[in-house]
Amino acid sequence: MLKIRIIPCLDVDAGRVVKGINFLSLRDAGDPVEQAKAYSDEGADEITFLDITATHQKRKPMIDVISKTAEKCFVPLTVGGGVKNIIGIKEFLLAGADKVSINSAAIKNPSLINESSKKFGNQCIVVAIDAKKKSKNWNVFINGGRVDTGIDAVSWAKNIEKRGAGEILLTSMDKDGTKSGFDLELTSKISSAVNIPVIASGGVGCLKDFFDGVKLGGASAVLAASVFHFKELTIKQVKKYLKSKNINVRIDNLGKYYEK
Amino acid sequence: MKNVLIIDYGTGNLKSVHNAVKKVSEKQDCRIFVSSSIEDLKKSTHIILPGVGAFESCLNGLIKTKARSYLEEMVLEKKKPFLGICVGMQMLATKGFENGEFDGLDWISGEVKKINNQNNNLKIPHMGWNTLKFLKETAFTKSLLKKMKVTNLHDLSAYFVHSYNFKNKNTNEKVITTCYGEEITAMISKENIIGTQFHPEKSHYFGLAFLKTFLEQR
């Protein structure tokens, strides 16, 4: 059976892991390469890097981080942040990313989704949605949560799928960093609206939140940052818990084989 | 001395495959080439055909390298150990049905068809870690399992990401399957040819052990 993926996310700023609350007030949380390696050894099913304050000058450390991580982690690596065009996607892929996540650029130029998924394969293109509740619906925000596009998140998700993206990384801006659980209503709306995998992100604070994201939100994968960075929970703990709740997760004990 | 050739035909996650092969051959006398040159192909002892993207574009990419006949000589006549990964395995089929109908390399009889989404109840692509079912024991799987020191096969899983399934004709060439709405061919094997639908380079310890076993093939 296909397993639910547990994905630690590293928000990277100029080559360091940082973590904010509601997309603001960043705290330093360590070296990304070391952390990614530790996570994959501990059983992370994938690793995600988001360059959260991507500007041109900061691109260089990000490329280094990707390529060093790719040499040490043998699980899929998704990279995102500041990707503007096909060339930017290719840069990340050449450095060793397996998937590239695009956000603002996809809103500004939706045909980038079509072109890139055709060129690199659907599985390679993740479209990230940063959504914030507006009365009854959710609006899509871009530029790291700074600009409200006025676009409805559910209809954008359907559009993304139609254009050929392989996956949606859905972050609730209302929940991000609050540790009060995923926005389950949002997650479940998006996840049932599309037929591609949805990664739930933003808000995990405790074990039950992971379970709810899968069971009530219908997510194919759950992503978390601070609970893992600050060692409040370990990936092993999360997987053990989910397994006890009859959620299919990958638990193997093959680690000894390569630990030398 | 091993010469591992990762065929570069303008697509695929070559870097990931390269990193993983490098990791498992660390302490060995082993050179890794990422290339499609006929010269590198001729001196290779192990050949890996990665594959990411659509069936037709991968196949066209391979044909454009003009290395096909040399590749067939090395694999089909000289019987060099060969590993096709994901679309690199699918290309070995007789026909592929991704965005049309296309002839494959026809090294292994079968057709590559879209995974049935079970009336929209299954998310496509089939993406993530899935449990492996070993259908039979081969010298390869024996050596692989010994390497991992596992006795319980139920907990092994590998990383998949694909929308098409290799429905191979001869069931005795199917070694591992997984389940996603339907039976998915996960590993095929015919003489010196191995194909995997999963990505060993992304399947962590299991995948590394798999690649290590491949490098031991002669």
Side-chain angles (χ1 to χ4, degrees), chain B residues 49-182:
Chain B
L49 182 65
V52 165
F55 187 89
E56 187 205 6
S57 65
C58 282
L59 206 65
N60 281 340
L62 181 67
I63 288 164
K64 264 189 209 149
T65 65
K66 302 192 177 24
R68 181 175 172 179
S69 59
Y70 294 93
L71 177 64
E72 296 198 322
E73 186 190 322
M74 293 301 280
V75 179
L76 303 178
E77 287 166 35
K78 296 192 173 157
K79 309 278 178 199
K80 298 288 176 193
F82 172 93
L83 171 63
I85 300 171
C86 194
V87 185
M89 166 181 90
Q90 296 183 353
M91 283 154 69
L92 310 183
T94 316
K95 273 182 190 301
F97 290 87
E98 184 167 0
N99 311 322
E101 184 182 329
F102 303 98
D103 286 337
L105 295 172
D106 200 21
W107 294 1
I108 298 202
S109 300
E111 295 182 336
V112 179
K113 293 197 162 160
K114 185 135 194 181
I115 299 170
N116 185 336
N117 69 7
Q118 315 287 336
N119 297 321
N120 286 333
N121 281 320
L122 276 186
K123 305 251 178 191
I124 307 280
H126 168 221
M127 185 187 285
W129 295 81
N130 208 336
T131 315
L132 302 176
K133 185 178 172 193
F134 286 71
L135 301 184
K136 60 180 205 173
E137 197 178 69
T138 65
F140 188 97
T141 60
K142 227 172 161 175
S143 153
L144 169 68
L145 297 176
K146 200 175 155 195
K147 216 170 251 94
M148 290 182 300
K149 303 179 182 78
V150 288
T151 44
N152 183 3
L153 289 180
H154 301 296
D155 288 336
L156 285 178
S157 54
Y159 189 83
F160 291 82
V161 49
H162 63 119
S163 304
Y164 288 77
N165 184 12
F166 191 156
K167 301 194 170 192
N168 70 316
K169 201 173 155 200
N170 303 319
T171 45
N172 63 339
E173 288 165 358
K174 202 180 306 196
V175 182
I176 306 177
T177 60
T178 189
C179 182
Y180 193 61
E182 60 194 77

Side-chain angles (χ1 to χ4, degrees), chain A residues 74-130:
Chain A
F74 301 98
V75 298
L77 180 63
T78 304
V79 180
V83 178
K84 291 193 172 56
N85 47 35
I86 291 269
I87 300 167
I89 295 172
K90 197 163 183 187
E91 248 179 24
F92 281 165
L93 292 176
L94 285 178
D98 298 290
K99 311 182 199 179
V100 175
S101 159
I102 51 178
N103 189 349
S104 310
I107 289 276
K108 288 173 191 158
N109 172 23
S111 65
L112 179 62
I113 306 171
N114 307 61
E115 285 166 40
S116 58
S117 54
K118 204 167 169 200
K119 189 166 168 69
F120 306 112
N122 318 51
Q123 82 294 329
C124 218
I125 304 303
V126 182
V127 179
I129 303 179
D130 291 338

